[in-house]
Amino acid sequence: AQSVTQLGSHVSVSEGALVLLRCNYSSSVPPYLFWYVQYPNQGLQLLLKYTTGATLVKGINGFEAEFKKSETSFHLTKPSAHMSDAAEYFCAVSDFSGNTGKLIFGQGTTLQVKP
Amino acid sequence: DAGVIQSPRHEVTEMGQEVTLRCKPISGHNSLFWYRQTMMRGLELLIYFNNNVPIDDSGMPEDRFSAKMPNASFSTLKIQPSEPRDSAVYFCASSLAHVGGLNTEAFFGQGTRLTVV
């Protein structure tokens, strides 16, 4: 069975500092990987996804993530944090069960951005 | 497309009452998911459908919960009877699962905030 682990339930950075949110997955086959963001009182919004091809993927709002198969990781980064980045972030993997598939989410990481 | 539409946005009900949450997925999507989000347990997958058929309901907490998808454009999640511990935000999401089982990203609705008093 596939699973996702997000290291650190809370991350705090200063405005302008590097953002690094960690995600590790387990999968017996090459996965599809996703990062979602959730702002307060809203649904989840896709930030970026990795399917095949280039292992460094760029998303919205200046975020990017790199798929590292050898490390089974898909960490999310942003060079310079902005106050508006404060939100909860979820890493997810697509399950390859038959013809259906389902998305398995990590527990989430709350990003706090300090002025 | 208007995206995934959930109703109601907020629901307050008394313990023991029946609650029905509704979801309209994005047109053309063939997979639908119901998630529950709480502070304690995070985002939990309750059930998901593919082509209107329930594929995995192992996340449904107990028999008080039931979900249906009578057609490709509508799904319900019902709790009967409701209990205070069911208070949570319930999200519906839809996606397009290609042949071979590869899902594109899931699109989420705005959620229904359920409070059982």
Side-chain angles (χ1 to χ4, degrees):
Chain A
Q2 295 182 315
S3 65
V4 176
T5 301
Q6 292 184 238
L7 300 177
S9 59
H10 288 84
V11 171
S12 181
V13 301
S14 297
E15 190 175 19
L18 171 71
V19 176
L20 171 61
L21 304 183
R22 300 177 186 274
C23 173
N24 288 89
Y25 69 91
S26 66
S27 175
S28 58
V29 297
Y32 279 13
L33 294 161
F34 308 83
W35 275 100
Y36 283 82
V37 61
Q38 183 181 29
Y39 298 102
N41 299 314
Q42 294 190 25
L44 278 71
Q45 177 185 2
L46 181 72
L47 267 181
L48 50 79
K49 66 178 179 181
Y50 167 78
T51 55
T52 58
T55 57
L56 180 64
V57 292
K58 296 184 184 299
I60 62 172
N61 302 337
F63 284 93
E64 62 183 35
E66 186 171 11
F67 169 59
K68 293 187 176 180
K69 183 179 178 180
S70 62
E71 299 178 8
T72 61
S73 69
F74 190 57
H75 301 330
L76 181 70
T77 60
K78 182 175 181 177
S80 177
H82 191 273
M83 296 296 291
S84 61
D85 295 327
E88 189 160 17
Y89 293 80
F90 293 91
C91 182
V93 62
S94 181
D95 186 346
F96 278 60
S97 302
N99 214 23
T100 59
K102 66 181 179 181
L103 293 172
I104 301 168
F105 284 86
Q107 285 298 98
T109 298
T110 300
L111 175 65
Q112 179 187 26
V113 182
K114 298 176 291 185
Chain B
D1 200 309
V4 176
I5 300 173
Q6 291 186 248
S7 63
R9 288 294 311 276
H10 302 273
E11 177 79 38
V12 180
T13 190
E14 292 186 346
M15 182 175 62
Q17 297 298 306
E18 176 181 296
V19 175
T20 300
L21 311 181
R22 297 174 175 79
C23 175
K24 176 179 168 55
I26 292 173
S27 176
H29 283 185
N30 58 6
S31 289
L32 184 139
F33 310 84
W34 281 101
Y35 286 90
R36 177 173 67 176
Q37 186 176 38
T38 61
M39 289 291 291
M40 292 295 293
R41 303 172 71 95
L43 197 63
E44 303 173 274
L45 176 64
L46 300 178
I47 185 170
Y48 82 101
F49 296 84
N50 182 258
N51 293 323
N52 311 336
V53 176
I55 302 301
D56 183 353
D57 65 354
S58 60
M60 296 286 264
E62 50 197 277
D63 292 345
R64 297 185 297 108
F65 286 70
S66 62
K68 295 182 180 179
M69 192 165 186
N71 56 61
S73 59
F74 184 65
S75 176
T76 60
L77 177 67
K78 184 179 294 185
I79 308 173
Q80 166 63 22
S82 58
E83 297 182 3
R85 61 193 169 117
D86 301 331
S87 297
V89 181
Y90 291 81
F91 288 103
C92 176
S94 70
S95 72
L96 181 61
H98 297 285
V99 173
L102 305 182
N103 262 330
T104 58
E105 65 265 30
F107 292 82
F108 281 74
Q110 291 294 297
T112 295
R113 182 174 296 276
L114 173 65
T115 303
V116 183
V117 298

